[in-house]
């Protein structure tokens, strides 16, 4: 390894927050499949599970009252390729990737999918080098304020969508919405909407400053009644 490469990897390890006992693991994590048969795909497979595990654990602890669906959506937002690629860019990971000639010429160092895969591979390499506690610490540091600023509301599905999924999952026909009336001046109208469900038969009402908001309110009311009855 050249002295320049060694210096660059040392700087990268400082940004990653981990000094490798076996630096060959880091080199492997940075090696794209275009650079040879010995590449980071296996480490990526391992790192994907580690990142998912760490994020899931944090969400479970941070949101004790959140439903499984909300937790799943939060995790998906945090571990999707775009998010991982952005984290990789913040760590300047692309500068250190080992790519085949074709990938280098086509801008592989900036390609989101390659960056995301490399970051997962690095997480896997840290796990092998130092264990789960250390890899967890590093992953949390990479995410930084993103985890502190999370809210379930930011990714929660709207009430109409949740009601639709609730009914579909039980083989129940979709609800019907009907406008009951509109009150107020044109600039300050209030809509009243009914949400009708066939099984169990019920009508839930909602109000809002637009028909859409009134339908959402009615759907939320219907959901609450359905869930309270354990349907």
């Amino acid at each position: 390894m050249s002295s320049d490469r060694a210096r660059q990897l040392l700087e990268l390890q400082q940004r990653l927050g981990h000094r490798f006992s076996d630096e060959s693991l880091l080199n492997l994590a940075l090696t794209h499949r275009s650079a040879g048969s010995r590449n980071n795909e296996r480490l990526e497979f391992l790192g994907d599970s580690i990142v998912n595990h760490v994020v899931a654990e944090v969400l479970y602890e941070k949101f004790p009252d959140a439903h499984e669906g909300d937790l799943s959506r939060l995790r998906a937002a945090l571990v999707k390729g775009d998010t991982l690629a952005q984290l990789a860019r913040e760590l300047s990971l692309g500068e250190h990737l080992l790519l085949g000639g074709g990938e280098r010429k086509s801008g592989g160092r900036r390609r989101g999918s390659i960056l995301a895969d490399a970051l997962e591979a690095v997480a896997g390499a840290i796990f092998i080098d130092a264990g789960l506690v250390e890899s967890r610490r590093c992953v949390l540091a990479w995410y930084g304020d993103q985890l502190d600023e999370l809210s379930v509301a930011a990714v929660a599905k709207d009430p109409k969508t949740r009601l639709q999924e609730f009914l579909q999952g039980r083989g129940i026909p979709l609800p019907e919405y009907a406008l009951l009336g509109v009150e107020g001046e044109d600039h300050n109208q209030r809509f009243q909407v009914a949400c009708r469900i066939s099984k169990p038969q019920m009508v839930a009402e909602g109000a809002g400053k637009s028909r859409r908001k009134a339908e959402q309110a009615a759907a939320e009311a219907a959901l609450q009644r359905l869930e309270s009855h354990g349907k």
Side-chain angles (χ1 to χ4, degrees), residues 45-187:
F45 164 79
L46 179 61
D48 173 74
S49 297
I50 292 164
V51 172
N52 271 274
H53 168 81
V54 171
V55 170
E57 181 186 6
V58 169
L59 296 176
Y60 182 84
E61 294 173 352
K62 185 176 177 66
F63 301 109
D65 299 321
H67 295 297
E68 183 271 341
D70 289 334
L71 293 174
S72 294
R73 284 187 286 277
L74 279 168
R75 182 180 60 182
L78 288 167
V79 303
K80 66 182 181 180
D82 289 346
T83 302
L84 294 175
Q86 182 56 40
L87 295 179
R89 292 186 184 99
E90 292 171 2
L91 294 164
S92 299
L93 204 62
E95 301 173 11
H96 308 280
L97 295 177
L98 298 175
L99 305 170
E103 283 293 351
R104 284 199 306 273
K105 293 176 182 177
S106 64
R109 295 187 190 282
R110 299 185 300 275
R111 186 165 298 127
S113 59
I114 292 178
L115 289 169
D117 291 347
L119 188 67
E120 289 179 333
V122 170
I126 294 174
F127 173 78
I128 293 177
D129 192 63
L132 181 59
V133 172
E134 177 68 358
S135 58
R136 181 183 188 277
R137 183 187 66 79
C138 290
V139 169
L140 292 178
W142 300 343
Y143 277 100
D145 293 341
Q146 284 196 50
L147 294 174
D148 295 331
E149 296 168 357
L150 281 176
S151 69
V152 174
V155 296
K157 292 185 179 180
D158 63 79
K160 286 183 67 175
T161 301
R162 288 189 286 119
L163 177 60
Q164 179 175 316
E165 291 180 350
F166 183 99
L167 297 175
Q168 285 179 326
R170 291 158 178 78
I172 300 172
L174 296 182
E176 295 180 356
Y177 296 91
L179 180 64
L180 299 179
V182 182
E183 299 177 348
E185 303 290 336
D186 288 346
H187 65 280

